[in-house]
Amino acid sequence: MNLPQQVRLVEVGPRDGLQNEKQLVPADTKVELIRRLAAAGLKTIEATSFVSPKWVPQMGDNTEVLIRVLGGEAPAGLDYPVLTPNLKGFEAALAAGAKEVAVFGAASESFSQKNINCSIAESLERFRPVTEAARAAGARVRGYVSCVAGCPYEGPVAPEKVADVAETLLAMGCYEISLGDTIGTGNPVSISRMLEAVLRRVPAEKLAGHYHDTYGMAAANVYASLQMGVAVFDASVGGLGGCPYAAGASGNVATEDLVWLLHGLGLETGIDLDALVDVAAWISAELGREPASRVARAVLAKRAKACG
Ligand code: HMG
Ligand code: MG
């Protein structure tokens, strides 16, 4: 089978995970989470988002978190991207020291309106000055497309819609396009059809899979994507998260589940699974729950049995 040998993981738990918590998570906990994830071997950790605190209060401490992470509380030399929906967010992120930002659009009009309060076309016009300002400042820009398989308001989304937005973001200068199955309704067939349409316009080495696990399909969708040459995946420790504007959506594929799958396939990630399970157990305890990840629960149960 023709699978990529090296797979890059983008940990999105501190942002995609914690943006959806009911309680406000203290900045101390966020910074400690990022530090622990780095110690477990994650090299790219999405730290926060510079969105409106009225829309997403959970990310209202964005400047403090990023300054502390970049100021030495997390290891240097790693990538700590942040979300920036517009120029205002980009300028705040840059002032806090961001070297990489992400703009986030959607393939569904209704989701675009609910999430960022504008149409798809307007969002792309908002992203253009962000990519231009980032280029001038020497910062990298990643592009997200949400609702690549289904939309919470419109149902199934046409693959060509995803390809249109992905191609536009690439042409704007995004170095990578992360394809978000925001509500996790994709399956290996619908994700493969979506990827076929996108791959006609964007090469595989410019793509990442960002699959939410609402219906337990995320690992299967990763496997289908690997077979089509995608080698970058977003994941969330402990399976944290969801999107505040996609009711019922659960977290991304848990980073532990993804690492278990990739290592089982003989692919390298550079991540220490045992250390990662410790991080999942720690952050889940901080949030007052068990890790959502099957792998974390299985590893923890095995350890408990070995001790008992
Ligand atoms: P808006 O209300 O249309 O913005 O929101 P506006 O330009 O009219 O400004 C309104 C107010 O917001 C003003 O303040 C602005 O200064 C302020 P006021 O005068 O009322 O005091 N404002 C800002 N403040 C801080 N940071 C900013 C900013 N921009 C304006 N960047 C906006 C438009 C985009 C800001 C808003 O809709 C928003 O913040 N949305 C973010 C929603 C969000 O974070 N969603 C979750 C992330 S996306 C996701 O999870 C999907 C993903 O994981 C992939 C997947 O799974 O599919 C990425
Ligand atoms: Mg997401």
Side-chain angles (χ1 to χ4, degrees), residues 15-16 19 50 52 54 86 115 117 146 182 210 212:
R15 191 280 303 172
D16 204 337
Q19 74 183 8
F50 286 79
S52 162
K54 287 184 193 147
N86 52 19
N115 194 42
N117 206 22
S146 283
T182 317
H210 176 109
H212 283 261

Side-chain angles (χ1 to χ4, degrees), residues 218-234:
N221 293 337
V222 167
Y223 188 56
S225 307
L226 279 169
Q227 289 172 300
M228 296 181 75
V230 178
V232 181
F233 295 97
D234 301 353

Side-chain angles (χ1 to χ4, degrees), residues 40 48 56 84 124 185 205 213 259 296:
T48 183
V56 185
T84 54
L124 295 170
T185 51
E205 57 276 16
D213 204 22
V259 169

Side-chain angles (χ1 to χ4, degrees), residues 85 104-106 112 116 118-128:
F104 49 104
S112 181
I116 50 175
C118 62
S119 69
I120 297 171
E122 285 164 343
S123 76
L124 295 170
E125 282 320 303
R126 266 186 208 171
F127 299 156
R128 201 173 297 282

Side-chain angles (χ1 to χ4, degrees), residues 37-64:
L37 287 164
L42 271 309
K43 299 270 181 285
T44 306
I45 305 169
E46 201 170 69
T48 183
S49 60
F50 286 79
V51 297
S52 162
K54 287 184 193 147
W55 283 64
V56 185
Q58 294 85 344
M59 297 285 111
D61 55 5
N62 44 27
T63 294
E64 178 187 348

